[in-house]
Amino acid sequence: MAAVANKSFLASIDQGTTSSRFIIFDTNGAVIASHQVELSQKHPRPGWHEHDPQELFNSVQLCMEKASQQFIDLGHNLSDIKAVGLTNQRETTLVWDSNTGEPLHDAIAWPDTRTAALVRELKERPGASELQDICGLPLSTYPSSVKLVWLLRNVDGVRNAYDEGRLTFGTVDTWLLFQLNGGNDAGVLVTDVSNASRTMLLNLETLQYDDRLLDFFGLDRNKIQLPKVVPCSDPDVFGRVASGPFKGISIAACLGDQSAAMVGQCCFEPGMAKNTYGTGCFLLQHVGNRPVRSKHNLLATVAYHFGHGHEPQYALEGSIATAGSAVRFLSSNLGFFESSQDIDRVASTVPDNGGVVFVTAFSGLFAPYWIDDIKGTIFGITQHTQQGHIARATLEATCFQTKAIFDAMEQDSSHKLHIMAVDGGMSASDLCMQTQADILGVQVDRPVMRETTSLGAAIAAGFAVGIWKDFNEIKGLNREDRVQFHPQIPAEKRDAMFRRWERAVNMARGWVDHDIQ
């Protein structure tokens, strides 16, 4: 193909829970080339969820190679890609040997619940009640710190490395940046503030590790290498790709996936909110340049920090552990359909849920419930129940949990939400998005190009290398032909449906304590 006239492009590595992808965008936010690779999911025991660290990196490398070839085949030059941004699944915990760079255990993924008993123990420690004021997160199975403590207690190789001062800890961003830069040869060991704020080791005010948090979890700085905490957008601190088709290119941005989605949805002003429907579901609202501590069981977190004169920006967050993974459960475990994309077809075979409520608590319930003694439970099954009823109830479960977060957010924030921007795989379901609008009672706004997480990382990289200098320059990105879903049911029905959901949640509590071992 004939060469295309010189033009600037940006690329994004998006390493998620179920897949990795690499996307090349033009500066208007249009996708030019992309490749995606599905990941193996390890569940060695009930409630456990792991990833192979080497597979995470290999999948990223493969995506970069395949997308680069697509880009070249379209007549473009790789030299026109000005920078790469990285975004990743958060909280997932990795440990490796500082001397060799070799992993010491599989990565413990963010939905993993093996630490439930440990969390109950930690909640009894002196000072436990003060942690959330420092770091913004409650003690739960969710943050990285608890997973790290479990590894230190239960894996001899990890404990030995710690005792000998050769243990390195990192989340997925740190691991990938370490590998992309060439491992120990370059020695790049960094994390950005949005990922670090999910470890429960970071002070939300200083944006640095806090000794009170480290002491609570029994972590000695002299025995463990912690990544340096830096802003999300910078042309130098994340290093450069060491090998492959992008050798030498600047890695100019790094953000946790939900922070990247906020940037990709252009949530740059207080009060703006987005909800990402992926493996889990994550509703974040921009609250300004000071953290807001939730009084209604939400998380205070870093939204993003672009550095270079920009103040850090903060968000309130509500996290749902199980969303798209529940749809995959119907497909992979129960055989309801061949592909997750088929759920609308099955759910549309019936007019409603037939009285079925599915509490999709595969990893407990996160915000605003924070219930860890609960399992996935289906209520209301009768001889009338069909696959379509359960499919609808599965979609509704995410929508009900989103409403619980939405209501808590309005109580915590001075900003009333009238529109919710959405993205992620499940947002492709028209039925799910209409249901969400009905249950919330507000407009749901979906972009045509739903890869907003990847776009956010590319935008942050673009800021770092001077493609843009002001947020106003990009507020028009990905705004054309958006689809709006408006509420279509009366408030009385909405409220009755939510009351039934809340009743189901309360009835499902306590199941774990009565398991027959």
Side-chain angles (χ1 to χ4, degrees):
M1 180 178 287
V4 176
N6 283 351
K7 188 177 179 181
S8 294
F9 300 89
L10 295 161
S12 177
I13 298 165
D14 183 351
Q15 201 299 297
T17 310
T18 59
S19 68
S20 297
R21 69 194 76 188
F22 187 81
I23 302 179
I24 301 170
F25 297 93
D26 67 17
T27 53
N28 293 317
V31 174
I32 305 302
S34 67
H35 191 76
Q36 180 173 346
V37 172
E38 297 296 316
L39 293 174
S40 304
Q41 306 296 317
K42 296 185 176 184
H43 300 282
R45 298 186 190 180
W48 291 30
H49 190 169
E50 298 178 355
H51 289 140
D52 178 345
Q54 197 58 50
E55 184 186 3
L56 294 180
F57 177 54
N58 291 345
S59 67
V60 166
Q61 285 188 305
L62 179 60
C63 289
M64 294 173 78
E65 291 169 4
K66 295 292 187 180
S68 68
Q69 190 57 56
Q70 282 183 35
F71 188 71
I72 292 168
D73 290 345
L74 290 169
H76 299 292
N77 296 313
L78 293 181
S79 60
D80 292 331
I81 299 175
K82 303 306 179 184
V84 174
L86 168 65
T87 183
N88 57 280
Q89 54 171 310
R90 305 170 302 168
E91 296 97 18
T92 295
T93 301
L94 297 98
V95 285
W96 61 96
D97 190 308
S98 306
N99 295 336
T100 66
E102 292 298 316
L104 295 168
H105 193 272
D106 278 341
I108 299 182
W110 61 269
D112 187 285
T113 60
R114 74 185 70 187
T115 57
L118 173 58
V119 168
R120 289 192 286 273
E121 174 196 322
L122 292 173
K123 286 181 177 178
E124 299 302 316
R125 282 189 183 178
S129 62
E130 302 167 11
L131 300 181
Q132 191 163 358
D133 284 340
I134 303 171
C135 68
L137 307 180
L139 267 173
S140 72
T141 60
Y142 193 22
S144 311
S145 56
V146 180
K147 297 173 173 61
L148 176 58
V149 172
W150 187 93
L151 286 165
L152 287 167
R153 287 190 181 187
N154 292 278
V155 181
D156 290 342
V158 175
R159 185 73 211 187
N160 292 339
Y162 176 80
D163 290 339
E164 295 168 12
R166 54 181 176 83
L167 180 66
T168 298
F169 156 79
T171 42
V172 170
D173 57 311
T174 301
W175 170 249
L176 292 179
L177 289 167
F178 173 74
Q179 293 289 347
L180 286 165
N181 278 275
N184 279 342
D185 290 342
V188 173
L189 192 68
V190 295
T191 186
D192 84 285
V193 290
S194 69
N195 276 295
S197 71
R198 316 301 297 186
T199 63
M200 216 171 173
L201 302 176
L202 190 84
N203 184 310
L204 270 189
E205 301 283 351
T206 67
L207 299 183
Q208 294 300 321
Y209 298 117
D210 192 294
D211 286 334
R212 292 169 294 177
L213 299 172
L214 293 168
D215 290 345
F216 180 86
F217 291 108
L219 301 174
D220 184 343
R221 287 181 188 257
N222 296 316
K223 293 185 176 181
I224 186 169
Q225 288 196 42
L226 301 173
K228 180 181 178 181
V229 182
V230 298
C232 305
S233 176
D234 189 282
D236 300 312
V237 296
F238 301 114
R240 293 179 177 273
V241 177
S243 62
F246 293 96
K247 181 177 180 180
I249 194 170
S250 171
I251 307 168
C254 176
L255 304 93
D257 50 9
Q258 303 314 315
S259 290
M262 286 197 81
V263 174
Q265 289 275 21
C266 297
C267 293
F268 298 133
E269 297 176 7
M272 299 182 76
K274 70 88 203 170
N275 201 23
T276 298
Y277 299 76
T279 301
C281 188
F282 305 89
L283 174 55
L284 279 77
Q285 182 185 32
H286 190 304
V287 295
N289 59 10
R290 302 290 301 169
V292 172
R293 266 72 176 192
S294 174
K295 294 180 172 59
H296 298 90
N297 297 320
L298 302 180
L299 311 179
T301 194
V302 176
Y304 51 85
H305 181 18
F306 278 22
H308 302 288
H310 294 279
E311 291 184 296
Q313 302 297 304
Y314 294 88
L316 278 171
E317 175 175 337
S319 307
I320 298 169
T322 303
S325 55
V327 177
R328 280 190 296 276
F329 171 79
L330 297 186
S331 173
S332 301
N333 295 50
L334 301 186
F336 276 29
F337 32 77
E338 289 188 5
S339 169
S340 296
Q341 285 72 34
D342 294 330
I343 189 167
D344 275 20
R345 175 182 56 78
V346 175
S348 297
T349 59
V350 294
D352 53 39
N353 62 25
V356 174
V357 178
F358 188 1
V359 181
T360 51
F362 297 162
S363 298
L365 289 179
F366 286 3
Y369 303 103
W370 299 111
I371 306 171
D372 64 4
D373 63 349
I374 189 171
K375 293 287 189 184
T377 311
I378 301 178
F379 293 95
I381 290 179
T382 68
Q383 288 182 319
H384 168 71
T385 301
Q386 301 172 35
Q387 287 185 341
H389 297 123
I390 296 174
R392 276 187 177 265
T394 302
L395 295 176
E396 290 172 356
T398 296
C399 298
F400 285 131
Q401 290 174 81
T402 295
K403 175 174 170 53
I405 293 167
F406 189 90
D407 291 349
M409 202 164 272
E410 287 203 330
Q411 293 178 73
D412 274 329
S413 170
S414 59
H415 303 281
K416 186 171 180 62
L417 301 173
H418 298 286
I419 298 176
M420 188 173 71
V422 299
D423 53 64
M426 273 182 76
S427 72
S429 165
D430 287 354
L431 177 59
C432 185
M433 293 301 97
Q434 184 58 56
T435 301
Q436 187 68 87
D438 289 341
I439 289 172
L440 288 180
V442 303
Q443 177 181 311
V444 169
D445 182 67
R446 184 180 69 191
V448 172
M449 200 289 290
R450 292 187 291 276
E451 299 292 354
T452 53
T453 301
S454 297
L455 178 61
I459 288 172
F463 265 91
V465 297
I467 298 293
W468 303 288
K469 294 181 172 58
D470 187 272
F471 291 134
N472 289 322
E473 297 177 58
I474 58 174
K475 285 185 176 178
L477 290 185
N478 204 23
R479 306 308 299 176
E480 294 182 0
D481 301 320
R482 294 172 76 97
V483 179
Q484 284 79 40
F485 298 86
H486 300 276
Q488 296 179 351
I489 64 172
E492 295 79 10
K493 182 176 181 180
R494 177 184 311 127
D495 294 342
M497 291 170 67
F498 189 63
R499 283 196 300 271
R500 173 174 279 192
W501 162 262
E502 293 280 278
R503 181 182 174 211
V505 168
N506 287 324
M507 290 179 70
R509 287 173 181 263
W511 179 262
V512 172
D513 288 342
H514 297 91
D515 271 347
I516 298 174
Q517 302 297 327

